[in-house]
Amino acid sequence: MNNLIIIVLLSLLMVSCKDSGDIDIQRPLITGVTIAEINPTEVDVYYKTSGTVMAKTISEIASRVMGTVTSIEVKEGDRVAEGELLLTIDDRDIVHKVRAAEQGYKELSKALEAAKQNKHLLNLTYERYKSLYDEKALSEQEMDEIETKKKVADIEFERAQSALERGKATFREVQINLDFTRIKSPISGIVTEKNIEIGNTAVPGIPLLKVEDNSSFRLEVMVDEQLLEKLQVGMPANVYINALNRNVTGQISEIVPVIDPVTRTFLIKIDLNNEELLRTGLYAKALISYGKREAILVPEDAIVEKGQLDGVYTVDDEGIVNYRLIRAGTSFSGGVEVLSGLKEGDRIIVGGIQKVIDGGIFKNK
């Protein structure tokens, strides 16, 4: 009896399944949308890195003479022009040396003039003696004596010339040292650091002030060693300044081909296009294009978010529309890269998304 019941139920189930296969599913009709076929697109390959914005010209100013600082004309944040006085150093000792060197130079000038006159006199005397000697009016000994005096006068004149040159050099040297007591800015820019106070002793080689030219900046970043042969000076770079929430364009201006053995990276410098808000020390991210590759791109508006998932509406050969999950990647100027979920030749809806119904059928009017 039980076996009979099971056979009857199976028969009814088979009939039901056969009948249901003949049912024509009524799909919603979709019109007024735009469909595009997926084809690979050539895109730039980017390397992501980050670094610190720096002024292109930063001048650390130190004294070239030792002495006590007697005045400071600037403070941090002041704007200065090239050649503007920044600070002074006690110059009393050097002033005395300048005066002594100047007096010595004048004395040597007088000595040279005396040697010149003596040389001229002996040259005239020598010519007279030679005429007398040729006329047999002078002895050979007398001629030798005047000839010797002439040679000595020539030597004394040369010595006086050399002494004057040395005195001139000494005078110029102490004048230069005097100029070093008035420290001036080598560039136009902003004073960003002051490490000295009035009364402190300035020591040669120890930075006293720092001035940076804020008219041009660059980004210094470390790049993976694998890109050493792929990057070239002049290549463009896109830079994002976090603190300013601003994008800045730039170009690679310098590549330092020395690999850090610890990080396996090397330094590059990117000149940034003029931007008034840039400052030394700002953190920035850089995207550097170093090649091309093929990628599947879809318009950003074609991606539909459902919950936390991304997907697109695909259209098959029969016009049936289905929502397909995708994994989105990097955004490019031509759209968003699809890492998985689509392949070449697939058709997706790129316009009129609001009219799409999942499971509907597309009809081109």
Side-chain angles (χ1 to χ4, degrees):
M1 183 69 178
N2 290 336
N3 292 336
L4 180 61
I5 293 173
I6 291 172
I7 293 173
V8 171
L9 290 174
L10 289 173
S11 299
L12 291 174
L13 180 61
M14 292 176 64
V15 172
S16 175
C17 290
K18 182 176 180 182
D19 291 342
S20 63
D22 296 334
I23 297 175
D24 186 16
I25 300 176
Q26 297 297 316
R27 297 181 181 276
L29 189 64
I30 299 173
T31 60
V33 298
T34 304
I35 296 175
E37 183 175 326
I38 296 298
N39 290 300
T41 303
E42 193 176 67
V43 297
D44 291 321
V45 180
Y46 288 97
Y47 179 81
K48 296 180 180 180
T49 184
S50 60
T52 303
V53 175
M54 303 289 291
K56 288 179 67 175
T57 304
I58 299 177
S59 180
E60 291 191 343
I61 301 168
S63 173
R64 298 182 67 174
V65 295
M66 181 177 290
T68 302
V69 175
T70 54
S71 70
I72 300 177
E73 306 297 329
V74 296
K75 61 182 182 297
E76 291 171 323
D78 284 353
R79 181 175 294 277
V80 296
E82 182 179 351
E84 184 175 336
L85 182 65
L86 302 178
L87 59 86
T88 60
I89 296 173
D90 188 357
D91 61 0
R92 290 173 295 178
D93 181 54
I94 298 178
V95 167
H96 289 309
K97 292 180 180 179
V98 170
R99 290 174 181 171
E102 183 179 13
Q103 187 62 35
Y105 178 71
K106 290 179 180 179
E107 292 296 328
L108 291 170
S109 296
K110 292 178 182 179
L112 177 61
E113 182 62 28
K116 181 180 178 182
Q117 294 297 331
N118 187 49
K119 177 184 177 182
H120 179 66
L121 176 60
L122 283 169
N123 281 336
L124 292 176
T125 304
Y126 174 79
E127 292 299 328
R128 294 192 190 101
Y129 272 52
K130 190 175 184 303
S131 297
L132 294 173
Y133 177 74
D134 291 340
E135 296 174 0
K136 307 300 183 180
L138 287 179
S139 66
E140 188 174 347
Q141 181 177 353
E142 289 174 318
M143 190 61 197
D144 289 342
E145 288 177 358
I146 194 63
E147 192 173 51
T148 300
K149 289 180 180 179
K150 177 182 177 297
K151 290 179 179 179
V152 170
D154 290 341
I155 293 172
E156 291 297 331
F157 177 73
E158 291 175 359
R159 286 179 177 175
Q161 280 185 316
S162 298
L164 182 63
E165 289 299 322
R166 290 193 298 271
K168 183 179 180 180
T170 301
F171 182 37
R172 182 57 184 154
E173 181 181 355
V174 293
Q175 282 182 318
I176 292 174
N177 286 337
L178 181 61
D179 291 340
F180 288 158
T181 63
R182 295 174 59 81
I183 298 178
K184 300 177 181 179
S185 178
I187 61 173
S188 296
I190 294 177
V191 179
T192 57
E193 195 172 304
K194 181 170 74 73
N195 303 315
I196 196 74
E197 299 294 340
I198 294 176
N200 292 162
T201 299
V203 178
I206 303 300
L208 307 177
L209 298 165
K210 183 182 289 186
V211 177
E212 68 174 48
D213 178 2
N214 65 334
S215 65
S216 56
F217 291 84
R218 67 187 177 197
L219 177 66
E220 298 185 357
V221 295
M222 303 303 292
V223 177
D224 189 273
E225 63 180 350
Q226 295 182 0
L227 299 183
L228 183 59
E229 299 300 324
K230 297 179 180 179
L231 299 183
Q232 295 179 358
V233 171
M235 281 184 168
N238 296 318
V239 177
Y240 176 72
I241 312 295
N242 291 42
L244 304 180
N245 191 27
R246 185 168 301 194
N247 289 303
V248 181
T249 57
Q251 306 82 33
I252 297 176
S253 60
E254 187 177 343
I255 298 174
V256 182
V258 178
I259 307 298
D260 186 317
V262 177
T263 62
R264 313 311 306 177
T265 58
F266 62 96
L267 175 68
I268 68 169
K269 299 177 183 180
I270 302 171
D271 283 354
L272 303 178
N273 293 339
N274 290 340
E275 175 58 56
E276 293 181 358
L277 298 178
L278 291 178
R279 294 291 183 271
T280 291
L282 286 174
Y283 173 77
K285 298 176 182 178
L287 280 178
I288 304 169
S289 174
Y290 65 90
K292 301 284 186 180
R293 66 178 175 84
E294 286 192 342
I296 291 178
L297 302 183
V298 299
E300 186 175 358
D301 293 340
I303 298 177
V304 179
E305 293 185 8
K306 291 188 177 182
Q308 295 183 344
L309 302 176
D310 293 329
V312 295
Y313 286 110
T314 62
V315 181
D316 64 16
D317 294 338
E318 297 179 356
I320 298 174
V321 176
N322 289 299
Y323 180 75
R324 185 184 299 179
L325 294 177
I326 63 169
R327 184 160 68 93
T330 305
S331 295
F332 295 89
S333 58
V336 179
E337 182 180 10
V338 176
L339 302 177
S340 63
L342 290 176
K343 65 181 184 300
E344 181 178 359
D346 285 345
R347 296 191 302 161
I348 65 170
I349 295 177
V350 296
I353 299 295
Q354 67 279 3
K355 300 178 181 179
V356 177
I357 300 174
D358 189 17
I361 187 168
F362 169 74
K363 293 294 183 181
N364 187 14
K365 288 188 175 182

